[in-house]
């Protein structure tokens, strides 16, 4: 029998790349892949276990699939990814719907694990997490014109609030030649936007080359024919070198966009987080980026309600966010994660206060975003055409300022020939809808 396998991948785009490699391995072993997991014999949930909300989403997905299993639509449920790695046997003990659990080190054995479950075995596979492959063939799950490329795995920063080093292990970079080979293959298959990811991209190469090598890698990626946009995510501000800033500024293919997770600006809070810097050093970094790359879009993230965060600390953060006017910002209430140093700290803050502080930052950011969108009116920008929105009754795409799924869209009308999905078009901005620019395509 040709068994059907469906996959639900949750969490970050690094997890997506792992899922794509899992799917390739399953197809190579003769399993039929289906898009709708309800049509599968075996459902795989590639979970996230980073913070409480992500864990709950993973658990909810497993329970929903369990209902399909009870109806006879799915035969088996397998849990992979970060939740599986973090909670191991607890998943099988507490979620009766689950037939197998596989830690990240078992990803290369996924076909064997599926086979075991179909024989009514209940495998629990947890080899060393460092056995997770850094590279491998994969089935692209994004639209054909953009793809993610993971340049490293794990993290060695050991921020006090974060469980990633516990789950994913130490930071491990791929060799430049290995990354370039994969990037060339993606470009040959039609990828026009390559999105570079790792837990901390600015640390790339430190472990294998003895020095940060992201700038060197980016320069080589820019030489690949077919790639038009190269986007860099997850750059820690303390590791943002002048060489890297100059590379982003000078290389035409690198979009003028950077994801710079700061988490806070108070020196006292950052020290407790095991992060470097303070409001002045962060302001200097932002100002340097904007002086060398005037049209750069900066995305950042903040955490409110970290243990011991005073009203003064929070007010400093809110003022900093207001002054800096980041074009893209996400703010999250601190999640107390077991087995992290921060979880054991005194002065844990009430959930309601944590969330209220996050809401204040995001309400303030809404106004900044609308102001930013208004500043685009009258300008003509380049947009990667993605499709038609029947609710908005117009076309849409993304500009250099918009990373897929985390940022907004550009909506526009077309008065002439419709472009093909994946084409780059020019759009004159005339208005904005909430935090999304609106305009008309020009010829």
């Amino acid at each position: 029998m040709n068994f059907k396998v469906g996959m639900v991948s949750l969490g970050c785009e690094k997890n997506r790349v792992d899922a794509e490699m899992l799917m390739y391995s399953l197809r190579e072993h003769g399993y039929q892949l289906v898009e709708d997991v309800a049509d599968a014999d075996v459902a795989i949930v590639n979970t996230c276990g980073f913070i409480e909300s992500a864990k709950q989403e993973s658990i909810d997905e497993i329970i929903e699939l369990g209902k399909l299993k009870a109806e006879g639509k799915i035969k088996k449920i397998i849990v992979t990814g970060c939740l599986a790695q973090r909670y191991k046997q607890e998943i099988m003990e507490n979620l009766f719907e689950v037939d197998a659990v596989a830690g990240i080190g078992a990803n290369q054995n996924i076909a064997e694990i599926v086979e075991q479950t179909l024989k009514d075995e209940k495998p629990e596979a947890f080899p060393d997490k460092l056995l997770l492959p850094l590279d491998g063939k994969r089935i692209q799950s994004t639209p054909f014109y953009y793809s993610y490329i993971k340049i490293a795995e794990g993290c060695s920063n050991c921020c006090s609030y974060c469980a990633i080093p516990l789950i994913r292990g130490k930071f491990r970079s791929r060799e430049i030649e290995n990354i370039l080979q994969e990037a060339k293959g993606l470009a040959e298959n039609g990828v026009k936007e390559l999105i570079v990811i790792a837990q901390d991209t600015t640390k790339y190469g430190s472990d294998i080359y003895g020095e940060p090598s992201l700038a060197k890698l980016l320069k080589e990626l820019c030489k690949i024919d077919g790639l038009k946009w190269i986007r860099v995510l997850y750059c820690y501000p303390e590791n943002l070198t002048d060489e890297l800033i100059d590379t982003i500024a000078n290389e035409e293919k690198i979009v003028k966009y950077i994801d710079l997770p700061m988490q806070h600006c108070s020196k006292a809070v950052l020290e407790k987080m095991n992060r470097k810097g303070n409001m002045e050093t962060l302001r200097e970094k932002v100002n340097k980026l904007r002086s060398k790359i005037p049209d750069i879009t900066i995305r950042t993230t903040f955490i409110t309600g970290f243990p011991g965060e005073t009203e003064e600390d929070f007010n400093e953060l809110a003022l900093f966010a207001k002054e800096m006017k980041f074009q893209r910002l996400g703010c999250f209430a601190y999640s107390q994660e077991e087995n992290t140093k921060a979880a054991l700290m005194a002065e844990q803050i009430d959930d309601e206060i944590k969330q209220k502080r996050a809401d204040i930052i995001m309400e303030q950011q809404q106004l900044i975003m609308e102001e930013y969108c208004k500043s685009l009116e009258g300008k003509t920008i380049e947009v990667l055409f993605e499709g038609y929105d029947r609710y908005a009754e117009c076309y849409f795409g993304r500009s250099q300022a918009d990373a897929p799924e985390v940022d907004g869209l550009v909506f526009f009308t077309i008065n002439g020939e419709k472009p093909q999905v994946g084409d780059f078009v020019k759009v004159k901005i005339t208005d904005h809808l909430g935090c999304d620019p609106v305009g008309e395509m020009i010829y």
Side-chain angles (χ1 to χ4, degrees):
M1 180 179 175
N2 187 12
F3 289 104
K4 298 176 182 177
V5 179
M7 180 173 294
V8 178
S9 189
L10 305 171
C12 69
E13 303 305 341
K14 298 180 288 294
N15 215 32
R16 177 199 285 270
V17 172
D18 290 346
E20 292 176 340
M21 290 168 64
L22 288 171
M23 289 190 291
Y24 182 89
S25 178
L26 289 165
R27 189 179 67 182
E28 287 300 289
H29 283 84
Y31 292 101
Q32 181 184 344
L33 303 179
V34 294
E35 284 192 24
D36 188 346
V37 74
D39 297 330
D41 298 302
V42 179
I44 299 175
V45 188
N46 194 40
T47 58
C48 178
F50 179 45
I51 58 175
E52 190 59 40
S53 59
K55 287 184 283 187
Q56 192 58 53
E57 182 187 20
S58 295
I59 291 167
D60 290 345
E61 184 66 40
I62 293 166
I63 291 170
E64 286 303 308
L65 290 173
K67 294 175 183 177
L68 293 176
K69 183 181 173 185
E71 294 170 6
K73 294 180 180 178
I74 293 173
K75 292 184 174 68
K76 304 292 180 182
I77 298 173
I78 299 173
V79 179
T80 62
C82 288
L83 194 77
Q85 180 66 35
R86 190 172 184 186
Y87 294 103
K88 298 183 170 68
Q89 292 85 359
E90 292 175 52
I91 292 174
M92 293 279 269
E93 291 169 3
N94 294 292
L95 294 167
F96 65 88
E97 301 92 342
V98 176
D99 298 284
V101 184
I104 61 173
N107 277 15
Q108 57 196 327
N109 308 120
I110 189 62
E112 179 185 339
I113 292 165
V114 171
E115 183 180 351
Q116 289 173 328
T117 60
L118 289 168
K119 292 178 180 176
D120 292 329
E121 297 175 27
K122 295 267 189 177
E124 298 179 32
F126 301 104
D128 191 328
K129 62 174 75 78
L130 298 182
L131 291 174
L132 173 70
L134 290 179
D135 60 68
K137 293 182 178 179
R138 52 193 176 108
I139 294 175
Q140 189 176 327
S141 60
T142 51
F144 74 90
Y145 50 84
Y146 79 85
S147 181
Y148 297 89
I149 190 162
K150 186 161 62 169
I151 63 172
E153 180 52 72
C155 189
S156 299
N157 290 333
C158 298
C159 301
S160 63
Y161 54 83
C162 183
I164 292 297
L166 302 172
I167 300 169
R168 290 270 170 175
K170 65 181 182 180
F171 189 82
R172 298 180 292 145
S173 300
R174 296 171 60 183
E175 293 183 353
I176 287 179
E177 294 75 18
N178 178 261
I179 297 168
L180 293 178
Q181 183 180 9
E182 181 180 3
K184 287 173 184 174
L186 290 168
E188 287 167 3
N189 288 333
V191 168
K192 299 177 182 180
E193 179 183 13
L194 188 69
I195 306 169
V196 176
I197 55 173
Q199 195 62 37
D200 175 3
T201 51
T202 41
K203 270 271 179 73
Y204 171 74
S206 302
D207 53 327
I208 57 175
Y209 299 123
E211 61 180 5
S213 305
L214 180 59
K216 182 179 178 182
L217 171 64
L218 290 173
K219 288 172 186 174
E220 292 300 314
L221 288 172
C222 287
K223 297 175 184 177
I224 297 175
D225 291 337
L227 296 179
K228 181 172 171 63
W229 283 358
I230 297 173
R231 188 182 300 275
V232 188
L233 302 184
Y234 317 127
C235 297
Y236 278 45
E238 54 265 38
N239 299 323
L240 190 66
T241 62
D242 287 346
E243 181 190 15
L244 181 55
I245 293 172
D246 289 340
T247 300
I248 295 170
N250 298 330
E251 291 288 349
E252 187 179 335
K253 288 186 179 182
I254 301 177
V255 299
K256 308 316 173 199
Y257 173 108
I258 191 165
D259 179 81
L260 208 65
M262 296 178 182
Q263 312 307 9
H264 216 284
C265 70
S266 160
K267 187 175 189 297
V269 175
L270 286 169
E271 283 180 353
K272 285 187 175 183
M273 289 179 167
N274 197 30
R275 297 288 296 257
K276 296 176 183 176
N278 54 49
M279 185 162 64
E280 287 311 310
T281 61
L282 291 171
R283 183 183 282 116
E284 285 172 14
K285 199 75 76 170
V286 171
N287 289 340
K288 181 178 285 189
L289 276 166
R290 287 175 169 165
S291 66
K292 290 197 172 187
I293 317 169
D295 56 345
I296 193 165
T297 298
I298 301 176
R299 160 171 278 283
T300 194
T301 49
F302 292 138
I303 296 172
T304 55
F306 189 80
E309 181 192 56
T310 63
E311 281 288 342
E312 185 180 355
D313 292 326
F314 170 69
N315 289 336
E316 187 177 322
L317 180 65
L319 180 62
F320 179 69
K322 188 174 183 179
E323 287 179 351
M324 290 294 97
K325 294 188 176 181
F326 298 103
Q327 296 97 328
R328 306 281 183 260
L329 186 149
C331 189
F332 307 94
Y334 165 71
S335 177
Q336 187 177 4
E337 294 300 312
E338 63 265 54
N339 299 320
T340 63
K341 288 184 179 180
L344 302 175
M345 289 180 180
E347 300 180 276
Q348 296 288 331
I349 293 173
D350 181 78
D351 286 346
E352 190 174 331
I353 294 173
K354 290 190 289 191
Q355 190 58 55
K356 183 180 178 182
R357 290 177 179 178
D359 292 342
I360 289 170
I361 297 278
M362 290 311 296
E363 285 168 12
Q364 177 177 281
Q365 182 63 20
Q366 184 79 13
L367 299 175
I368 293 169
M369 287 282 292
E370 289 181 13
E371 183 183 325
Y372 164 69
C373 285
K374 193 166 183 61
S375 74
L376 295 176
E377 291 177 16
K379 295 180 180 178
T380 298
I381 61 175
E382 189 172 41
V383 173
L384 176 53
F385 178 57
E386 295 194 297
Y388 182 78
D389 187 315
R390 59 191 181 91
Y391 296 106
E393 296 184 335
C394 60
Y395 297 90
F396 66 89
R398 290 183 294 107
S399 70
Q400 288 203 14
D402 305 303
E405 298 184 24
V406 295
D407 296 321
L409 296 168
V410 178
F411 292 95
F412 55 94
T413 56
I414 296 176
N415 296 318
E417 185 179 347
K418 176 187 164 187
Q420 297 293 313
V421 169
D423 285 351
F424 288 86
V425 299
K426 298 291 186 182
V427 175
K428 183 175 183 180
I429 304 304
T430 57
D431 200 353
H432 66 278
L433 185 64
C435 295
D436 293 317
V438 176
E440 54 189 29
M441 184 176 136
I442 60 176
Y443 296 86

